C-alpha cells in the first residue's frame, strides 16, 4: 500500500500522486510497488532492500551519488500469538520503520512491513502540528511518538509483571514461569532496540545525517530524553525481573530440598521393619518370642517412631 500526503494551508491532506514537498507512506509493498519506488521515485535499490528487511537494526546510511539518506528506527509491536510464550499476556517485539530523505525529489518516504500505530496516528490526523514540507521536523515528531510508545509498553509490561508476581507467590507453576520468560524476551528486544535508537539519534544530533534547523534542537533533545528514560526504565525492569527469577529459583530449590529430605526420612524409617522381619525370617537362634508376629511388629513400630523423631528433630537432615 502506498499513500501520499501533503501539507497545504496549515493542514495535511491525502493526495492522489506524489509531488514535491509530499510525504510518501509505504506499508508492506508488493513487488510492483517496490519496482515503482526504485524506478519512479528513484530510490536506491539497496535502501529499498534494507527498508524491507525485518531484521535490520536502527542505523543511518547515506548515498553519495543521489544524496539520499536512509534512517531506520525500531518500533515496538505487540508480538503475534503464534510467537508469544503465553497468549494470556501481552508480549512485545520490535520491527523497523524506515525513513528515506529524497532531496532531489523534495520528498520524505516512510516504509514499514507492518501497519504501524505511530504512522496511522499521523496519517489519520490525530497528531497536530505536522508539516510535510519540514522533513526533519516530521522525522523527529514521529520519533518522539515512538519514544512515548516505548514508555507506554514498558509501563504495561510492569503492570503485567506485578500481577504475575502475585500469582507466582501463591502457586509456583510452569505457567507463571513461562510468562516471566515472555516478559524477559520483551525487555531484551526493547533494550537492544532502544540502545540502537539512542546511537542513531546521537548521529542525527551531529547534523551530518540530516540538516537540522534551530527549531528542531529542542524537539531532538526531548526525543533523546524520552529514549534515555525508556532505556533506564528497561534496565531497571530487567534487573527486577532477574532478581525475582533468582529469588523464585531459590524458593523452588528450597522446596525441592525439603521434599528430598522428607522422602529420605521416609525411606530410612520404612527400612527398619524390613531389617527386623529379615532377622526373624532367617535361622537366627535366641531371638525373643520367635513364635509370634506381634513382638517383631511392635518392635518395628516402636523403632520407626523413635527413628522418625530422631531424624526430624536431629540436625542430620536440616
Amino acid at each position: 500500500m502506498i499513500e501520499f500526503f501533503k501539507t497545504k494551508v496549515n493542514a495535511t491532506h491525502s493526495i492522489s500522486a506524489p509531488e514535491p514537498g509530499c510525504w510518501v507512506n509505504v506499508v508492506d509493498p508488493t513487488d510492483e510497488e517496490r519496482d515503482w519506488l526504485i524506478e519512479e521515485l528513484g530510490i536506491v535499490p539497496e535502501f529499498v532492500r534494507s527498508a524491507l528487511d525485518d531484521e535490520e537494526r536502527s542505523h543511518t546510511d547515506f548515498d553519495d551519488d543521489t544524496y539520499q539518506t536512509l534512517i531506520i528506527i525500531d518500533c515496538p509491536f505487540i508480538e503475534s500469538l503464534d510467537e508469544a510464550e503465553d497468549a494470556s499476556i501481552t508480549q512485545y517485539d520490535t520491527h523497523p520503520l524506515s525513513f528515506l530523505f529524497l532531496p532531489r525529489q523534495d520528498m520524505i518516504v516512510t516504509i514499514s512491513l507492518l501497519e504501524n500505530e505511530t504512522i496511522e496516528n499521523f496519517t489519520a490526523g490525530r497528531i497536530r502540528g505536522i508539516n510535510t514540507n519540514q522533513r526533519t521536523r516530521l522525522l523527529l515528531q514521529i520519533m518522539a511518538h515512538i519514544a512515548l510508545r516505548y514508555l507506554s509498553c514498558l509501563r504495561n509490561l510492569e503492570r503485567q509483571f506485578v500481577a504475575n508476581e502475585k500469582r507466582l507467590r501463591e502457586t509456583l507453576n510452569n505457567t507463571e514461569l513461562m510468562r516471566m520468560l515472555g516478559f524477559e524476551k520483551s525487555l531484551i528486544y526493547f533494550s537492544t532496540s532502544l540502545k540502537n535508537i539512542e546511537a542513531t539519534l546521537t548521529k542525527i544530533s551531529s547534523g551530518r545525517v540530516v540538516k537540522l534547523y534551530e527549531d528542531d534542537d529542542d524537539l531532538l533533545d526531548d526525543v533523546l530524553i524520552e529514549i534515555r528514560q525508556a532505556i533506564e526504565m528497561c534496565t531497571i525492569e530487567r534487573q527486577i525481573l532477574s532478581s525475582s527469577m533468582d529469588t523464585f529459583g531459590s524458593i523452588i530449590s528450597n522446596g525441592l530440598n525439603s521434599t528430598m529430605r522428607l522422602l529420605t526420612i521416609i525411606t530410612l524409617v520404612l527400612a527398619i521393619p524390613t531389617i527386623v522381619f529379615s532377622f526373624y525370617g532367617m535361622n537366627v537362634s535366641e531371638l525373643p518370642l520367635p513364635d509370634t508376629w506381634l513382638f517383631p511388629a511392635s518392635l518395628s513400630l516402636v523403632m520407626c517412631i523413635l527413628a522418625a523423631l530422631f531424624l526430624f528433630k536431629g540436625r542430620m537432615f536440616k
Side-chain angles (χ1 to χ4, degrees):
M1 180 186 70
I2 300 180
E3 301 173 302
F4 310 99
F5 301 90
K6 186 172 182 180
T7 302
K8 298 178 181 178
V9 195
N10 297 325
T12 302
H13 306 280
S14 175
I15 56 179
S16 58
E19 57 184 69
C22 76
W23 165 27
V24 181
N25 179 43
V26 183
V27 179
D28 191 19
T30 63
D31 292 338
E32 292 78 10
E33 291 172 337
R34 298 183 188 190
D35 294 337
W36 183 87
L37 292 173
I38 296 172
E39 296 171 3
E40 298 297 328
L41 287 188
I43 299 176
V44 178
E46 290 77 8
F47 284 0
V48 174
R49 284 193 291 269
S50 297
L52 296 175
D53 184 0
D54 194 41
E55 300 301 323
E56 283 287 339
R57 299 294 92 188
S58 299
H59 70 277
T60 64
D61 202 353
F62 180 76
D63 184 73
D64 295 324
D65 297 329
T66 61
Y67 301 101
Q68 295 178 9
T69 302
L70 170 67
I71 300 175
I72 297 180
I73 299 295
D74 281 332
C75 298
F77 281 83
I78 296 177
E79 195 167 41
S80 59
L81 295 178
D82 57 337
E83 297 180 354
E85 302 294 336
D86 191 333
S88 62
I89 63 173
T90 302
Q91 294 178 219
Y92 295 95
D93 197 355
T94 58
H95 296 279
L97 172 64
S98 302
F99 300 86
L100 285 157
F101 286 77
L102 312 180
R104 293 179 178 175
Q105 295 86 342
D106 191 20
M107 297 178 189
I108 182 172
V109 181
T110 55
I111 302 177
S112 177
L113 284 173
L114 301 175
E115 292 285 347
N116 192 301
E117 179 183 336
T118 296
I119 298 300
E120 289 177 353
N121 286 332
F122 276 81
T123 57
R126 289 189 286 269
I127 307 297
R128 303 296 181 184
I130 67 172
N131 190 332
T132 59
N133 297 294
Q134 299 174 338
R135 295 188 295 271
T136 303
R137 188 166 187 82
L138 178 60
L139 164 69
L140 295 177
Q141 287 174 317
I142 294 175
M143 293 181 71
H145 193 275
I146 292 172
L148 293 176
R149 280 182 58 197
Y150 269 108
L151 291 171
S152 176
C153 293
L154 285 169
R155 293 188 187 99
N156 186 34
L157 280 173
E158 182 181 10
R159 288 192 294 268
Q160 292 186 90
F161 170 72
V162 171
N164 189 72
E165 187 178 23
K166 290 180 180 178
R167 290 192 296 267
L168 199 55
R169 291 177 185 273
E170 298 171 358
T171 171
L172 292 172
N173 56 45
N174 292 335
T175 302
E176 276 69 31
L177 292 175
M178 290 301 294
R179 288 174 179 169
M180 288 292 194
L181 177 60
F183 296 146
E184 186 175 17
K185 285 177 60 178
S186 299
L187 290 174
I188 290 173
Y189 291 146
F190 279 7
S191 178
T192 304
S193 297
L194 286 167
K195 289 178 181 178
N196 290 333
I197 291 175
E198 182 186 24
T200 302
L201 283 170
T202 303
K203 287 184 179 179
I204 293 175
S205 65
S206 67
R208 295 191 298 268
V209 177
V210 292
K211 185 177 181 180
L212 293 175
Y213 299 90
E214 185 177 352
D215 295 338
D216 298 330
D217 291 337
D218 292 339
L219 181 55
L220 178 59
D221 290 340
D222 291 341
V223 177
L224 272 169
I225 290 172
E226 297 290 346
I227 289 295
R228 286 167 180 165
Q229 181 181 350
I231 291 174
E232 183 178 359
M233 186 175 179
C234 189
T235 302
I236 293 172
E237 290 298 324
R238 287 188 65 183
Q239 291 174 349
I240 293 175
L241 178 60
S242 178
S243 176
S244 298
M245 292 295 288
D246 290 342
T247 301
F248 287 122
S250 299
I251 293 174
I252 293 172
S253 179
N254 289 337
L256 179 60
N257 291 337
S258 298
T259 301
M260 294 303 298
R261 171 177 176 270
L262 177 61
L263 291 176
T264 301
I265 291 174
I266 292 174
T267 301
L268 293 175
V269 170
L270 292 180
I272 294 176
T274 303
I275 296 172
V276 173
F277 280 96
S278 296
F279 275 105
Y280 277 88
M282 295 185 294
N283 294 325
V284 179
S285 60
E286 298 181 359
L287 289 175
L289 303 176
D291 298 328
T292 177
W293 60 271
L294 292 176
F295 179 76
S298 301
L299 178 62
S300 299
L301 179 61
V302 172
M303 293 182 66
C304 286
I305 294 174
L306 292 175
L309 290 174
F310 173 76
L311 293 174
F312 275 110
K313 297 295 183 180
R315 296 187 178 184
M316 184 181 302
F317 292 95
K318 285 189 177 181

